[in-house]
Amino acid sequence: MHNKNSFPWGDRTYIMGVLNVTPDSFSDGGQFNTKSAAIAQAKSLIAGGADIIDIGGQSTRPGAEIISLDEELNRVVPIVQALRCGDDENPPIPDRILISVDTFRSEVAAAGINAGANIVNDITGGIADPQMLPLVAELGVPVILMHTRGTPQNMQQMTDYQDLIGEIYQFFQARIESAIARRINREQIIIDPGIGFAKNYEQNLEILRRLSEFKSLGLPILIGASRKSFIGKILDQPEPKKRVWGTAAACCAAIANGANIVRVHDLPEMWDVCRVADAIWKEKSL
């Protein structure tokens, strides 16, 4: 089993490239829904400068239907295996490229890590499946805990906060405590405020504006703003793929305010954005 977490946080921004192996993701649904297309896209992300490939088999866009466990396993595991171990047509990807499995099911996380993935990315912060945190502890891999409310079906009706940043902060405190209680090493935890998940337009902007307030938790911060609808609203751009430069501005703001990882669709454009933003803002500490 391939596992390492050797990023020196603070030196530079790491780039997570999105690989949706789903027919219905909001931005590129169906585009990489075959094994060959998915592998070609992963290689393109790596060539563009991605440090991590985030593979998701369950769409989590607002309103998405939840698929069966078998369906999710069948979408994700063969791609992880083909990338990490290679197959008849493709050599394995370099070891320095990490693979994360974007899932809230412990069975998919376990199968993904066993197939060669390195990180578990759980949009529910380990809440949806009570076995997730114990499993992550057992596997000894890094975990990304994201803030959301409800499910993809109803999350956009759950945007009523008294104190947005305070409530997300408290959520993280509780989830971190829960993870540590289940013997996950604090150094293996990454937090994600969940742009677009149970957040409205104004709230997404507020998170980016006040992101530095989460730095006092002392953990790496991931931001996934890529191509999302708040950018479309600002630009009056209904087509997600045409939100590249809006995404660039959001990534730049996130880096200026302390993000350590950006989760994006558009490489190599975001590689350039990260390197210039890093030259301006990155300090040598979390």
Side-chain angles (χ1 to χ4, degrees):
M1 185 167 62
H2 180 93
N3 170 36
K4 64 190 172 99
N5 177 25
S6 54
F7 288 156
W9 301 115
D11 287 6
R12 68 178 180 91
T13 304
Y14 296 94
I15 303 176
M16 175 183 274
V18 179
L19 183 57
N20 291 317
V21 288
T22 56
D24 58 345
S25 283
F26 84 98
S27 164
D28 48 18
Q31 219 182 322
F32 313 116
N33 206 14
T34 65
K35 189 172 160 189
S36 58
I39 290 168
Q41 176 62 5
K43 288 185 167 176
S44 159
L45 292 167
I46 292 165
D51 301 291
I52 307 165
I53 303 296
D54 190 44
I55 301 176
Q58 163 68 58
S59 175
T60 50
R61 66 181 169 76
E65 291 301 314
I66 303 298
I67 58 170
S68 74
L69 172 61
D70 281 352
E71 176 75 10
E72 191 180 353
L73 286 165
N74 291 337
R75 288 178 185 179
V76 171
V77 178
I79 307 297
V80 173
Q81 207 151 17
L83 290 175
R84 186 54 77 205
C85 306
D87 59 20
D88 296 343
E89 283 117 59
N90 302 283
I93 63 171
D95 267 3
R96 65 183 166 77
I97 306 295
L98 303 188
I99 297 173
S100 61
V101 180
D102 180 356
T103 186
F104 47 79
R105 287 173 163 144
S106 59
E107 298 96 333
V108 178
I113 297 297
N114 285 322
N118 313 89
I119 301 169
V120 175
N121 181 10
D122 184 345
I123 64 153
T124 73
I127 289 172
D129 182 342
Q131 294 310 307
M132 183 64 93
L133 295 181
L135 172 86
V136 167
E138 191 186 317
L139 294 171
V141 295
V143 63
I144 299 161
L145 301 176
M146 194 189 85
H147 173 273
T148 189
R149 286 172 160 185
T151 65
Q153 284 89 354
N154 65 13
M155 64 185 178
Q156 289 315 102
Q157 282 84 61
M158 302 182 77
T159 58
D160 189 19
Y161 299 84
Q162 299 305 305
D163 169 14
L164 175 74
I165 303 300
E167 286 172 53
I168 297 173
Y169 195 98
Q170 284 170 345
F171 170 91
F172 284 142
Q173 284 181 311
R175 298 319 297 152
I176 292 161
E177 208 172 289
S178 203
I180 291 168
R182 285 162 180 79
R183 303 183 182 256
I184 292 174
N185 184 333
R186 191 184 174 91
E187 260 124 59
Q188 299 276 60
I189 302 171
I190 297 161
I191 54 173
D192 174 357
I195 298 268
F197 287 83
K199 320 286 188 307
N200 63 27
Y201 169 78
E202 289 294 346
Q203 290 162 347
N204 289 321
L205 298 180
E206 188 177 351
I207 288 169
L208 287 170
R209 221 175 269 135
R210 297 177 60 189
L211 192 64
S212 62
E213 293 178 40
F214 297 111
K215 286 169 79 170
S216 59
L217 289 164
L219 295 174
I221 300 168
L222 182 149
I223 284 289
S226 186
R227 299 182 178 178
K228 286 189 175 166
S229 60
F230 79 99
I231 296 171
K233 180 172 176 174
I234 296 165
L235 302 179
D236 193 20
Q237 177 50 263
E239 175 52 56
K241 286 184 192 145
K242 293 184 179 165
R243 298 172 186 165
V244 179
W245 299 114
T247 296
C251 286
C252 208
I255 293 164
N257 289 324
N260 301 92
I261 308 171
V262 291
R263 182 182 183 276
V264 298
H265 300 80
D266 301 295
L267 284 136
E269 294 91 338
M270 296 312 135
W271 191 90
D272 287 2
V273 169
C274 289
R275 297 299 74 88
V276 175
D278 283 356
I280 301 166
W281 284 297
K282 267 287 172 244
E283 294 173 18
K284 293 289 176 189
S285 60
L286 257 180

